[in-house]
Amino acid sequence: MPSPRITPGAGRYAPSPSGDLHLGNVRTAVLAFLCAAQSGRRFLWRSEDLDRVQPGAAERQRSDVESLGITIDPPVWSQSTRTGIYEEHLALLAAQGLVYECYCSRKDIQQAATAPHMPPGAYPGTCRDLPEASRATERARLHAQGRVPALRLRTDGRSETVHDRVLGEVTAPVDDFVLRRGDGVFAYNFAAVLDDGLAGVDEVVRGDDLASSAPRQAHLTRLLGFAVPAYVHVPLVLGPSGARLAKRDGAVTLAELRDRGFDVWAWIGSSLGFGPWTGVDHALMEFDLARMQREPTVFRPVG
Ligand code: GLU
Ligand code: ZN
């Protein structure tokens, strides 16, 4: 009898193509690759281009990372080509009664009282159980403004805990978060979780600014019928002000840094608490998540 085909799991890097990657983004991409490659996973790439797209940025982001000697495995996905798939899976959730329309503005939500166990800004559930007559009125009101209702996930507001390989347990209440926005664009949480599931991603490595999204994403992952991936939220690179590194901090893109003779691999290795790395093979040999420095690194761009 032939032995069953074993499909290796996958890691991924999923940037939003709103501009060139800066050194902090590149370091996160490198970490995602190292974790995948050391564990025999494929390393996938997904462009999260549902909004905030700068023309040409998606291609430059990918070639910047490949220029470091990193190999990206197929398939490479662009979310903007996948909206039909998102519609189908949203319909499956809706058929289970897990989706409802929300007519609230951002201001409505800010002004509503939040349930005591929910973090500030959590959706208070205003539209969850509206009678159909009110829904029709609200829909018509939005329609007159050229908008559609946002679509939210029906949850029971319970907390979820995920285990993170860097941060340990991350617990947060799961509110009725948005699946499709009022401008008709699929929400990051929905598209990212569905794509990770469909692509067989079983390890999510990304910046720790997204750690607080992991519990709600894990909840949605299960509802969509996928296994919850391992999470690895890695420290961010900060700029001189102590806020997360940004383009306005100076020369921070790979092209700018290379023009100044900056050694990207050496800096990445040192900043993570290893020696200066000479390249991808050296990094693969030396990297060890358990020994990675967990404090954020401050980068002071020159020029
Ligand atoms: N597109 C997101 C970002 O650039 C990352 C999404 C993810 O890794 O889950 O911040
Ligand atoms: Zn609402």
Side-chain angles (χ1 to χ4, degrees):
M1 213 170 72
S3 56
R5 193 165 66 101
I6 298 175
T7 312
R12 55 36 161 213
Y13 185 61
S16 310
S18 54
D20 288 339
L21 298 177
H22 61 56
L23 186 61
N25 306 135
V26 169
R27 192 177 81 163
T28 301
V30 164
L31 285 168
F33 167 76
L34 292 175
C35 287
Q38 282 186 339
S39 59
R41 290 179 166 90
R42 291 169 296 141
F43 179 59
L44 306 178
W45 186 276
R46 176 172 76 236
S47 190
E48 300 208 325
D49 60 348
L50 294 178
D51 66 356
R52 295 187 298 128
V53 174
Q54 187 194 90
E59 293 72 27
R60 289 200 305 277
Q61 291 182 329
R62 217 173 111 197
S63 61
D64 272 355
V65 169
E66 288 176 327
S67 76
L68 294 170
I70 285 176
T71 310
I72 293 167
D73 292 310
V76 169
W77 282 351
S78 294
Q79 291 190 322
S80 58
T81 67
R82 298 177 51 75
T83 49
I85 294 166
Y86 304 152
E87 294 288 356
E88 281 169 28
H89 288 265
L90 186 67
L92 294 177
L93 283 181
Q96 299 172 65
L98 291 170
V99 180
Y100 68 87
E101 290 183 350
C102 168
Y103 318 95
C104 299
S105 65
R106 204 171 290 249
K107 200 162 147 215
D108 294 333
I109 296 171
Q110 274 162 6
Q111 286 173 352
T114 310
H117 67 291
M118 283 300 199
Y123 182 65
T126 321
C127 303
R128 181 190 302 193
D129 297 311
L130 287 183
E132 188 44 46
S134 322
R135 292 194 178 277
T137 313
E138 291 294 305
R139 227 173 266 140
R141 181 177 62 81
L142 288 189
H143 184 76
Q145 302 167 9
R147 294 180 68 82
V148 293
L151 298 177
R152 289 186 180 272
L153 181 69
R154 189 181 294 277
T155 68
D156 54 16
R158 269 198 297 234
S159 281
E160 284 269 351
T161 298
V162 302
H163 184 79
D164 184 278
R165 286 174 61 203
V166 176
L167 303 174
E169 292 201 337
V170 179
T171 301
V174 178
D175 69 345
D176 289 359
F177 59 89
V178 172
L179 302 172
R180 206 181 67 195
R181 307 186 325 209
D183 58 4
V185 176
F186 282 96
Y188 153 66
N189 279 314
F190 178 71
V193 164
L194 180 57
D195 277 347
D196 281 343
L198 292 173
V201 168
D202 61 354
E203 183 181 70
V204 169
V205 180
R206 61 187 175 193
D208 63 14
D209 53 333
L210 287 167
S212 62
S213 300
R216 41 166 65 154
Q217 292 184 357
H219 179 78
L220 180 57
T221 300
R222 279 194 212 96
L223 293 178
L224 290 169
F226 302 112
V228 175
Y231 291 102
V232 184
H233 286 98
V234 298
L236 295 180
V237 176
L238 308 180
S241 69
R244 108 173 68 143
L245 188 65
K247 307 260 161 53
R248 63 178 168 278
D249 289 324
V252 292
T253 65
L254 283 197
E256 292 165 334
L257 289 166
R258 284 192 179 124
D259 277 351
R260 288 162 174 76
F262 181 86
D263 187 335
V264 176
W265 272 114
W267 182 87
I268 290 178
S270 305
S271 74
L272 293 167
F274 303 93
W277 286 336
T278 54
V280 66
D281 294 334
H282 188 194
L284 278 167
M285 242 155 38
E286 272 209 357
F287 177 67
D288 175 4
L289 189 65
R291 292 195 301 116
M292 176 184 78
Q293 121 131 11
R294 286 158 187 228
E295 306 309 314
T297 305
V298 175
F299 177 66
R300 289 173 206 286
V302 283

